Amino acid sequence: MKTATSHTSHALPVAAALALLLAAGAAQADKAKDDAMLHLASKSGCMTCHHIEPGAKGPDGLAPIGPAWKDVSAKYKGDKKAAETLTQIVLKGSNPYDSHWKGKASGLAMPPNAVAIKEADARGLVKWILGMQPG
């Protein structure tokens, strides 16, 4: 006769194995999403000015032209308007007289990129950037 304890003891390893499979599937999905977003960013010209990790050097060893995306994610964490604000900056550019990345980026302003990326793609890319874990 099986007891509840023996049934439970078999269920725990099965549940653990299932959890590992689900986590592996999620990791593969995340990797596929990362690969797709990096491809989109590269073909749209974003990687010319931006890096993912803070501290990367830009041309001639200077600060990068645009801020690192993990810095962007950290700066806008918790800002409910960040996705819309940043999507519009990607598409329309930023004001060179209102730079809030002094010392972290050598570029004065972000140029408009509506000719290089569709709005839906820009939205997806911004959402992905904002989901990055800082540092």
Side-chain angles (χ1 to χ4, degrees), residues 3 18 20 29 47 53 56 58 65-66 68 78 81 85 95 102 107 115 120:
T3 64
L18 183 58
L20 285 173
M47 304 308 289
E53 298 290 336
I65 297 168
K81 296 180 182 179
T85 299
N95 181 345
K102 287 187 178 170
V115 297

Side-chain angles (χ1 to χ4, degrees), residues 25-45:
Q28 283 181 321
D30 288 347
K31 170 105 172 78
K33 175 86 173 187
D34 290 349
D35 290 347
M37 289 294 105
L38 285 171
H39 177 73
L40 173 63
S42 293
K43 80 173 190 169
S44 300

Side-chain angles (χ1 to χ4, degrees), residues 6-7 10 17 26 32 36 45 49 55 59 66 71 76 80 93 96 99 102 104-105 109 112 116 120 126 129:
S6 67
H7 179 68
H10 288 37
C49 299
D71 286 342
Y76 287 95
K80 303 228 184 281
S99 177
K102 287 187 178 170
K104 293 197 176 207
V126 165
I129 292 167

Side-chain angles (χ1 to χ4, degrees), residues 96-109:
Y97 300 106
D98 189 26
S99 177
H100 54 273
W101 291 103
K102 287 187 178 170
K104 293 197 176 207
S106 62
L108 293 177

Side-chain angles (χ1 to χ4, degrees), residues 1-12:
M1 177 172 141
K2 290 187 177 181
T3 64
T5 305
S6 67
H7 179 68
T8 304
S9 67
H10 288 37
L12 290 176

